[in-house]
Amino acid sequence: MKLGAVIVTYNRLELLKECIEACLKQSYPFQEIFIVNNASTDGTLEYLKTLKNPKIKVLNSKENLGGAYGFYEGVKHFENSKLDYILLIDDDAMIDKDYNQEIVKYMDKDDTISGYSGIVKTNDEIQFEHRRHLKNLKIFKETKSTEEEYTKDFFDYELSTFCGLFIPVKLIKKIKYPSQEFFIWFDDTEYSLRLLKYGKIRNVNKAILNHKTTISNQRGHNWKSYYSLRNKAIVLKRYFSKSQL
């Protein structure tokens, strides 16, 4: 099984360094690591120029077009590659050294599965919202994965974030690329719905990812909440009953 990785980064140089190192230290190696730099201003551009590893390829954007743009370009980059699966992660996602090894054990064993992922933890606590269920394909009502599901070897679900998600290269020509116009948020939900046409996503519970993010308790409206509301409305209009708008 030949694997690639897409890392999207913006102004988090120290996290990016750690993320790249985690990808390079995999017990089951990546064939290529493609980094999309969203016009970082913290020295990321200069650092990336120093990397000499032939596995690493870089795209430097001239402006910050958001995480959705990064994943759009990353998936597009691998469309015609000879790889089997590509991993989608942000720069703050640190995969354990056996992340690939544990997931490869399950790949292509079940033709009803369209993608693979592992456990997302922050401060050693499972972040259940990264793996979610959609109970009714006609109504957008999602529920988080449950603690009980993580006691199994694996479980299948419908909606994933791009935090540690493997997608099959063979499906890219069919479902194309993530929607870059989303800028941030809901691009992964919308892409999961495209994957769902070809099967559910399987979460492998021995594969673990440390998500070095800050869990925010911020309330109220800001520029991020704008994209959340706008993009959710786009998803509802595109895939579900108009009565939910």
Side-chain angles (χ1 to χ4, degrees):
M1 201 69 64
K2 294 181 179 179
L3 308 179
V6 175
I7 303 172
V8 178
T9 188
Y10 175 68
N11 278 356
R12 293 193 291 203
L13 178 55
E14 294 309 311
L15 287 173
L16 174 63
K17 290 178 181 179
E18 188 176 350
C19 180
I20 294 172
E21 183 179 8
C23 288
L24 290 174
K25 288 186 174 180
Q26 287 298 294
S27 56
Y28 191 105
F30 289 108
Q31 302 295 310
E32 183 180 335
I33 300 168
F34 186 67
I35 302 169
V36 181
N37 171 28
N38 244 324
S40 297
T41 58
D42 63 346
T44 293
L45 176 63
E46 292 74 17
Y47 165 72
L48 291 173
K49 288 179 179 179
T50 70
L51 298 180
K52 304 302 181 184
N53 193 310
K55 287 187 177 183
I56 297 175
K57 304 291 189 300
V58 178
L59 173 64
N60 291 301
S61 174
K62 293 182 179 179
E63 58 181 311
N64 179 14
L65 299 173
Y69 160 81
F71 289 115
Y72 169 92
E73 290 291 349
V75 172
K76 183 180 179 181
H77 171 79
F78 283 107
E79 180 177 12
N80 296 310
S81 75
K82 295 182 180 180
L83 303 185
D84 298 297
Y85 286 86
I86 58 171
L87 176 71
L88 307 181
I89 51 173
D90 280 312
D91 51 15
D92 60 356
M94 314 305 167
I95 53 177
D96 280 6
K97 67 180 181 65
D98 293 327
Y99 192 86
N100 291 356
Q101 181 70 59
E102 294 297 340
I103 292 179
V104 163
K105 295 175 184 177
Y106 289 84
M107 285 179 170
D108 291 353
K109 298 293 193 297
D110 187 335
D111 59 10
T112 68
I113 300 302
S114 65
Y116 298 87
S117 62
I119 296 177
V120 178
K121 290 187 175 183
T122 297
N123 299 326
D124 209 33
E125 297 287 336
I126 297 174
Q127 301 302 294
F128 300 99
E129 66 272 16
H130 287 274
R131 318 299 181 216
R132 309 184 310 281
H133 295 284
L134 185 65
K135 299 298 184 181
N136 189 324
L137 298 183
K138 294 182 179 180
I139 299 174
F140 186 78
K141 185 175 182 180
E142 58 179 3
T143 59
K144 297 177 184 178
S145 51
T146 65
E147 190 168 355
E148 190 274 334
E149 288 177 303
Y150 290 90
T151 65
K152 306 173 183 179
D153 290 336
F154 65 86
F155 65 89
D156 299 339
Y157 66 103
E158 292 78 32
L159 302 177
S160 178
T161 64
F162 286 157
C163 194
L165 174 65
F166 272 106
I167 65 168
V169 171
K170 66 183 180 182
L171 283 187
I172 297 175
K173 287 188 182 298
K174 295 180 180 179
I175 66 175
K176 304 309 289 184
Y177 328 121
S179 298
Q180 60 177 320
E181 68 269 21
F182 277 31
F183 196 78
I184 62 165
W185 290 4
F186 268 88
D187 52 331
D188 42 20
T189 295
E190 194 272 340
Y191 206 61
S192 293
L193 291 167
R194 286 189 246 168
L195 285 172
L196 189 55
K197 296 177 181 178
Y198 298 91
K200 293 187 177 184
I201 300 166
R202 178 155 292 173
N203 199 74
V204 179
N205 292 330
K206 284 187 178 180
I208 299 173
L209 179 156
N210 180 14
H211 192 206
K212 290 195 170 183
T213 187
T214 300
I215 300 175
S216 176
N217 294 317
Q218 181 178 356
R219 296 184 179 182
H221 297 291
N222 55 34
W223 69 272
K224 290 185 177 180
S225 61
Y226 160 76
Y227 283 107
S228 176
L229 293 170
R230 187 202 69 165
N231 296 344
K232 183 176 181 179
I234 292 172
V235 170
L236 290 176
K237 183 177 181 180
R238 190 173 295 174
Y239 294 95
F240 299 96
S241 168
K242 292 183 179 179
S243 64
Q244 290 188 269
L245 291 173

